Every structure is written in structure tokens, then in C-alpha cells.
Amino acid sequence: PTTRSFEIRLHAGFEPSSVTVNGARVDRDGDEGWRYDREGGVIRLCVTEGADRKRDVGVRVSKQKGRGE
């Protein structure tokens, strides 16, 4: 296949204010978006990898200041 998709699970314990992949903001609850499982404290992020598969995938999760601190 030219591309493949995978899911990243981050055990963060907080709901993020934003999520980016390779510097691009990712929508919440989209097909290639993220969801937060409040009960488990887990961020689930769907990512599609390009055909070259030679690039690292950089994920940044931002926490809104003042929440959960």
C-alpha cells in the first residue's frame, strides 16, 4: 500500500487543548483526528503515514493552562 494508518494511544490523564502531528493541527473526532477517553485518561490519535515511510512522526499535545494543575 502507498499509505497506512495507525492509532497512537497516549496515557496523559488530561484532556488536551490541541494536538498537532508534524506541526499541523489535528481536528478533534475526525477520521484522522483525536479523541479523549475521560474515564481512562487516554488520548487516541489516528495518523496516516505517507508512502515514503522515512519521516519521523512528531506529535505534540498541549494542555490548557490552569486545567488539572
Side-chain angles (χ1 to χ4, degrees), residues 2 4 22 49-57:
T2 57
R4 65 179 176 177
N22 295 333
E49 184 178 50
D52 60 4
R53 296 186 186 165
K54 294 181 181 178
R55 263 184 32 183
D56 291 338
V57 175

Side-chain angles (χ1 to χ4, degrees), residues 3-10 19-24 26 32-33 45-61:
T3 62
R4 65 179 176 177
S5 297
F6 52 96
E7 181 181 87
I8 299 171
R9 295 180 186 191
L10 304 169
V19 176
T20 61
V21 175
N22 295 333
V26 178
E32 290 190 24
L45 173 63
C46 296
V47 177
T48 299
E49 184 178 50
D52 60 4
R53 296 186 186 165
K54 294 181 181 178
R55 263 184 32 183
D56 291 338
V57 175
V59 176
R60 174 171 280 174
V61 176

Side-chain angles (χ1 to χ4, degrees), residues 13-30:
F14 64 88
E15 185 171 354
S17 59
S18 68
V19 176
T20 61
V21 175
N22 295 333
R25 189 177 178 118
V26 178
D27 291 332
R28 182 175 186 150
D29 296 327

